[in-house]
Amino acid sequence: MEFLKGCCRPLLWTLLFSPLSFVVAQEKELPQLETEIAIYIWAKGSFGDELDKDGNIISRYTPPEVKFANADGQVVNMNVFPGRRTPFQKYKGVAQIQFFREFLVKGEEEPRRYPVGQVVLPETTRSALLILYPKDKAMTVFTVYPLLDVSENIPPGKALVYNTCAFEIGAKLGNVQGFQVAPQRSILADLKPDQHSFLQFQFWVRNGGDWSKAYSSKKAIHPESSVILIIHPKQNSDGSINPRLVDLLTLSAT
């Protein structure tokens, strides 16, 4: 998933999906911000309880810890888990949000804070869905990629289809007409599940002069959902990018 480090650029209208590239100013110079944030950890490495061959738990998995502090000093634990999106939480403070985990040191009353990531949001941000991409397999430190105002800008019954690949893709959602998405660009598409609320996702890539199917799946989708579909290149076993296959990350925008 190294593609995230170099491929993210501004999307359409007020929605942004971009890496942290702001010049960090002194905290007192940063504007104040009042918004809501949710987090999705892009899973990396192995995680989950360790089981024996009979399915008994050998050791329980400890999820990553991602907290932030509001301007009044209140500490909020986002209760993150890899591959799962958190609910939105209110944030009020400087526009540069510092995320941390806490640990106790013997003899000290207050826990120490260890930084795990940061992001600077525009002061006009109404909400932000933050994609946390791990810098290590243990998922203790992250690069933060913000998706801004998705809950307001993706209407019910619509999907934001974002192509993070360095090449064009063809897409088809259910029975609606197919469309193309340029590299590192997005399109707002209709969600029209069948009568059983299932939607067929199909994507193609160019193989020479022809289109070749690169992904197909069927998911249960409520017709009035607001979703984000992030299409990204599939990796080979050696970590290199497979130009003929893609994968799909599906997130709720609300």
Side-chain angles (χ1 to χ4, degrees):
M1 300 175 196
E2 294 297 316
F3 66 90
L4 282 172
K5 296 183 179 178
C7 72
C8 304
R9 298 179 183 174
L11 299 188
L12 305 178
W13 17 275
T14 59
L15 179 66
L16 297 179
F17 185 98
S18 57
L20 178 62
S21 58
F22 302 92
V23 176
V24 178
Q26 295 295 324
E27 190 168 289
K28 64 181 179 181
E29 299 174 355
L30 289 169
Q32 295 291 307
L33 175 70
E34 188 168 354
T35 187
E36 291 186 330
I37 60 174
I39 286 175
Y40 178 90
I41 290 185
W42 198 298
K44 184 177 183 179
S46 58
F47 60 93
D49 296 338
E50 185 178 350
L51 307 176
D52 63 18
K53 62 180 182 179
D54 297 319
N56 300 310
I57 296 177
I58 299 174
S59 62
R60 291 195 176 277
Y61 174 69
T62 302
E65 186 177 295
V66 178
K67 297 180 177 181
F68 66 84
N70 283 305
D72 59 4
Q74 176 197 18
V75 173
V76 178
N77 188 347
M78 291 298 293
N79 294 314
V80 298
F81 194 89
R84 185 184 302 165
R85 207 213 74 176
T86 71
F88 280 93
Q89 298 278 4
K90 293 186 182 297
Y91 171 80
K92 186 176 183 180
V94 294
Q96 180 177 310
I97 307 177
Q98 302 282 353
F99 296 102
F100 56 85
R101 59 185 173 93
E102 295 182 314
F103 59 96
L104 290 170
V105 176
K106 187 176 181 180
E108 297 183 6
E109 293 185 2
E110 296 295 326
R112 293 189 184 182
R113 294 178 179 178
Y114 183 87
V116 300
Q118 66 175 11
V119 66
V120 179
L121 299 178
E123 57 185 308
T124 55
T125 303
R126 291 167 290 175
S127 66
L129 173 55
L130 306 178
I131 310 296
L132 270 59
Y133 184 78
K135 293 183 177 181
D136 59 337
K137 289 186 177 181
M139 292 183 276
T140 59
V141 184
F142 306 90
T143 301
V144 184
Y145 300 91
L147 282 160
L148 305 183
D149 300 331
V150 290
S151 58
E152 293 85 356
N153 288 325
I154 303 178
K158 296 283 187 178
L160 180 82
V161 184
Y162 180 55
N163 176 21
T164 71
C165 303
F167 44 85
E168 183 183 45
I169 62 159
K172 195 171 189 299
L173 308 183
N175 295 320
V176 300
Q177 184 177 356
F179 53 92
Q180 297 173 25
V181 189
Q184 300 157 9
R185 290 295 182 265
S186 68
I187 284 181
L188 203 60
D190 289 326
L191 286 175
K192 293 185 178 179
D194 62 24
Q195 64 270 25
H196 302 294
S197 295
F198 279 91
L199 188 68
Q200 183 81 24
F201 298 87
Q202 299 179 80
F203 302 109
W204 290 263
V205 298
R206 289 193 183 276
N207 185 7
D210 300 322
W211 286 101
S212 174
K213 185 169 286 188
Y215 180 91
S216 180
S217 71
K218 200 171 187 180
K219 300 179 185 292
I221 294 287
H222 191 280
E224 292 302 307
S225 299
S226 301
V227 300
I228 302 163
L229 305 178
I230 300 177
I231 304 154
H232 58 94
K234 202 170 183 66
Q235 287 183 318
N236 298 314
S237 57
D238 61 359
S240 61
I241 297 299
N242 188 325
R244 297 187 179 183
L245 295 175
V246 298
D247 213 340
L248 175 67
L249 173 62
T250 306
L251 297 173
S252 170
T254 58

